[in-house]
Structure formats: C-alpha cells, structure tokens
Amino acid sequence: MKQSILVVNCGSSSLKLALFDETDQQLASATAERLNGKDAFARIEGDNRTVALPASADHKQALQALISTLRERQLMPAIPASIGHRVVHGGETFREAALIDDDVVAAIDECAGLAPLHNPVNVVGIEATRDLFPDVPQVAVFDTAYHQTLAPRAYLYAVPQAFYHDWSVRRYGFHGTSHFFMANEAARRLGKTLATTSIISAHLGNGCSITAIRDGLSVDTSMGLTPLEGLVMGTRSGDIDPGLFDYLASRGIPLAEVHKILNHKSGLLGISGQTNDMRALCELADHGHEPSALAIEIFCFRLAKYVGAMMASLRHLDALVFTGGIGENSDRVREKTLEHLGLLGFTIDPDMNEHHGRYSDGRIDHADSRFPVLVIPTNEELVIAREARRLAATL
Ligand code: AMP
C-alpha cells in the first residue's frame, strides 16, 4: 500500500477516486455525485456504510470527505506515493501528461475557455489534493493530449484561418486516454508493439468518439473543438449541418437554447423521445417502440460511416476495437454497425459477438473477416495511474 497511486477524476457535478498499487491492481474506488446540489452523496465501492458529506457539498468538500473516510477505513495509506488527475482540455499546450506545478495549473486555467464546465473543476481537484498532500508529486493527464499528433489536414476546419490563429479554433479531440489505452491493449493482445499497431478505436459510452491510430499515434478523431462533433451520442447530436443554426434562429430559437438542445436533448434521447440509455432503448425497440429502433439505426449507421472515414488515415489496419459502456456490452450495436461494412471486408461471428472474450481474448470477427474486430474494456484510471507513476519517478 506504501506505493499506492491516487487517481482523481472531477466531472462537472461528480468526482471519482481510484487507488492503484505499484503492480496496476486497483485497491479501492469511490464516487461522489450531484455535487453542489441538495441531494449530493458519496460512496465507496463495495462498502455499504454511508460517507458523511456537508449539505450541498462541492468538489473540494467531497474530495476531503472521501479521502478521510478511505483513510479511516484503512483503504488508502495516510500519504499516497503520487497522484494523477484527469484534466479534460490541454489545448495545444499539453502534448502529453505533465508534472503539476504553479505554471501547469495556470496553463490549465488558461485552457478553461475551451472547456468551461470541466477545466475549472479539474483545477479545484488539483488544488484540493495539493493542499492535502503538499509533498506528493501530482500529474495532470489530458483527454486532448493524445490527439496532438493529428496533422493540420485532420485538425483544421475549412474556415478562415484567423479563427485558428486568433481564437484557437481547431479539432482537439477527446477520450484520448481511453483511445491510448485501446492502442496499447490491442497491440498486447495482437502480439505487436505499439509503434507498429494501427487500429480504429470506437469509444461508445454516453459520450462517443472514434479515432484512427496509425503506428501507435492518433491521426484522426471524430470529436472536434468541443465534444459535440462526430458520432451520435446519448444526448449530443454529433454532426449536424451548421446551417441549422441560421434556420433555428429564423424560427426564433436563441443560440443558448440551440446549444442546450444539441448537447442535452439530442442524440439517442432526441430521436427516441424516451431515453439516452442504450440498454433501455434496446428493450423499448424489442417491445415495438419505433422511435427507439430508429435511434439505434441512426447511431449504428453514423458509426459505420465514421469507420469508413477513419480508413482514409491508415496504411494498414490491425483491428477495429469497440469499448465504452455500449461498445463493450451491446452485441446488437456491434452487429448492426458491421452490417454496413461488408464492402470493406468486416464480418463478425454472431456467437463470438454475443459472448465476446469467452473464446478469443475479445475477438469477435468471423474467420472470413478481412480485419480482426475486438471488444476491449477501457480503463482510463489505470492509464492515469501509470502516467503519475512514470512522471513521479523522473523527480
Ligand atoms: P458509459 O458512459 O461508458 O458508462 O456508457 C453508458 C452507456 O452504456 C449507456 O447508454 C448504457 O445503456 C450502455 N450500456 C451499458 N450496459 C449495456 C448493455 N448491457 N447493453 C447495451 N447498452 C449498455
């Protein structure tokens, strides 16, 4: 336990902690949700006892409460060896994880304009653990950093280039930690090195993105300046015609309302009119609810189109990889997506798809398939713990 690494992930209204040992084993995890609200609560995984939180606890209070409870219950040491923080936006400043000092905190603050809901709470988490553990090395791991290897043809939009030079408008991409984990894990499972592995990685959770990885590096990705672009998601529209803004304005819908609709009321929820939850949608579709069936259709078709688009960035393909709550669990989504990709030579084995991992280390492709298809559970916390350990060792 002496060498344990604490991972801190502050979301807009939630907080997740995970503790790893030096052999990558997860020792404990804890979450706090609905922060800053009247019904804020916290719990430790596998422990039914309540965790006391102040009323309407904020991120800092929840972090302090969870850490002192984990210590009291002897689930974490008095002082961890290092601490890793998930930070959503690193802009163009951070091409990889960084040891945290005052300059790094200031640079993360500067990127807050690009991720106003996330970077400020990430900084709160960093400051809170720096107060609690002033002598422990702390590391920031950025969702955007892995995509900093995109070439200009992949990251620039076809708009006046002053937007990029003056206002930093470009594709940044997100879920980078998960896609990086996929590249490493696919390489390991295929018996290759990361530097020779090329995959298409589909992270399908409530947020969804797909990345082309060539020789271990991200070369194209579907999310853009913000996490709204690309695939259909739980409540986000993904790609739309930008002309929609004008059109809705002509119908009297203000910009702030359009933002809310595209981020929180669209995607699977918007199409089905019922839910953003894929599992619930599958059940509704099975009971004849047509809008839910249509939501699944549109989700899979958009995803298939993006698999095709990602091929443009690769010289060869070692595997198409699925991850995230939907990618890992929904054999229906995988099957329906790959039905559109027969022309590219993808075929899956229905039995392996239903029982992925049982026979073949996550392989679900049919013997005839031109490319392997894998299902790999993601583990962003583990990547953050490894980065924290790696950079702390350089001190
Ligand atoms: P995540 O954001 O990665 O936690 O993923 C959340 C999404 O995964 C939700 O849409 C869930 O409905 C979906 N999901 C989780 N388990 C299943 C399952 N067994 N079948 C279909 N979707 C699932």
Side-chain angles (χ1 to χ4, degrees):
M1 202 177 276
K2 250 175 72 215
Q3 288 305 310
S4 61
I5 303 152
L6 177 66
V7 174
V8 180
N9 180 354
C10 287
S12 48
S13 64
S14 67
L15 164 68
K16 288 186 198 153
L17 299 182
L19 204 73
F20 289 86
D21 71 10
E22 64 272 29
T23 64
D24 288 349
Q25 290 305 306
Q26 188 170 317
L27 303 172
S29 68
T31 53
E33 288 178 41
R34 302 185 195 146
L35 295 173
N36 301 305
K38 281 195 202 99
D39 49 355
F41 72 95
R43 65 190 178 88
I44 293 170
E45 214 70 52
D47 188 333
N48 290 330
R49 289 170 286 178
T50 52
V51 178
L53 277 188
S56 303
D58 60 18
H59 285 83
K60 185 171 181 176
Q61 290 168 321
L63 194 94
Q64 287 167 338
L66 278 172
I67 286 178
S68 70
T69 311
L70 283 164
R71 281 160 149 180
E72 270 163 31
R73 295 180 192 171
Q74 301 193 335
L75 293 166
M76 79 173 272
I79 299 178
S82 56
I83 300 175
H85 291 268
R86 175 189 177 212
V87 178
V88 167
H89 220 302
E92 289 188 325
T93 311
F94 295 102
R95 299 181 68 83
E96 55 182 346
L99 273 164
I100 293 173
D101 57 19
D102 291 345
D103 291 343
V104 166
V105 174
I108 294 170
D109 249 343
E110 266 173 36
C111 298
L114 293 163
L117 291 182
H118 292 96
N119 275 32
V121 289
N122 297 153
V123 170
V124 169
I126 290 170
E127 297 292 20
T129 52
R130 285 179 97 199
D131 283 351
L132 281 171
F133 306 109
D135 299 323
V136 174
Q138 311 218 14
V139 168
V141 180
F142 301 89
D143 279 15
T144 49
Y146 183 53
H147 301 301
Q148 280 295 303
T149 44
L150 262 62
R153 66 167 178 263
Y155 73 67
L156 287 175
Y157 292 110
V159 294
Q161 287 305 286
F163 284 19
Y164 171 60
H165 297 298
D166 299 346
W167 296 327
S168 308
V169 171
R170 54 161 287 174
R171 177 183 309 287
Y172 290 96
F174 297 86
H175 290 144
T177 311
S178 176
H179 292 300
F180 177 66
F181 181 81
M182 287 305 118
N184 278 285
E185 191 56 23
R188 189 185 69 74
R189 291 181 187 209
L190 296 167
K192 300 190 66 162
T193 61
L194 178 64
T196 60
T197 299
S198 294
I199 64 167
I200 295 174
S201 167
H203 179 114
L204 311 175
N206 201 32
C208 301
S209 71
I210 185 164
T211 293
I213 296 169
R214 190 170 74 204
D215 300 332
L217 303 177
S218 172
V219 287
D220 195 11
T221 192
S222 58
M223 283 179 168
L225 173 70
T226 74
L228 184 56
E229 193 180 346
L231 302 175
V232 175
M233 310 182 211
T235 61
R236 281 172 254 169
S237 62
D239 294 343
I240 45 134
D241 179 349
L244 182 65
F245 289 87
D246 254 1
Y247 184 72
L248 291 178
S250 77
R251 301 262 149 171
I253 302 184
L255 198 55
E257 184 62 21
V258 179
H259 173 92
K260 201 153 81 186
I261 293 169
L262 295 180
N263 278 284
H264 304 296
K265 297 182 179 174
S266 296
L268 296 172
L269 173 65
I271 306 165
S272 69
Q274 295 288 318
T275 174
N276 61 337
D277 186 292
M278 182 57 83
R279 200 170 2 190
L281 280 176
C282 290
E283 275 168 30
L284 283 162
D286 287 343
H287 286 88
H289 188 253
E290 286 183 13
S292 295
L294 185 61
I296 300 169
E297 283 290 326
I298 295 173
F299 181 95
C300 295
F301 183 59
R302 175 86 57 88
L303 175 59
K305 287 209 293 191
Y306 260 98
V307 172
M310 289 295 145
M311 298 284 255
S313 292
L314 301 178
R315 288 189 282 252
H316 77 276
L317 180 67
D318 291 308
L320 169 63
V321 182
F322 288 94
T323 195
I326 298 171
E328 290 167 34
N329 295 301
S330 180
D331 50 319
R332 183 181 318 197
V333 165
R334 297 191 299 257
E335 185 186 334
K336 279 188 160 298
T337 303
L338 289 168
E339 270 171 17
H340 296 294
L341 293 169
L343 192 59
L344 290 179
F346 289 98
T347 51
I348 52 173
D349 182 306
D351 189 38
M352 302 232 277
N353 184 36
E354 207 180 324
H355 307 288
H356 74 85
R358 189 173 295 179
Y359 309 119
S360 54
D361 211 14
R363 290 280 293 262
I364 60 167
D365 47 294
H366 190 269
D368 292 344
S369 183
R370 192 169 156 215
F371 306 106
V373 183
L374 278 92
V375 178
I376 298 178
T378 192
N379 196 339
E380 290 161 282
E381 284 80 13
L382 178 58
V383 174
I384 296 170
R386 285 175 177 163
E387 288 291 79
R389 187 172 56 218
R390 180 178 70 79
L391 286 173
T394 64
L395 287 174

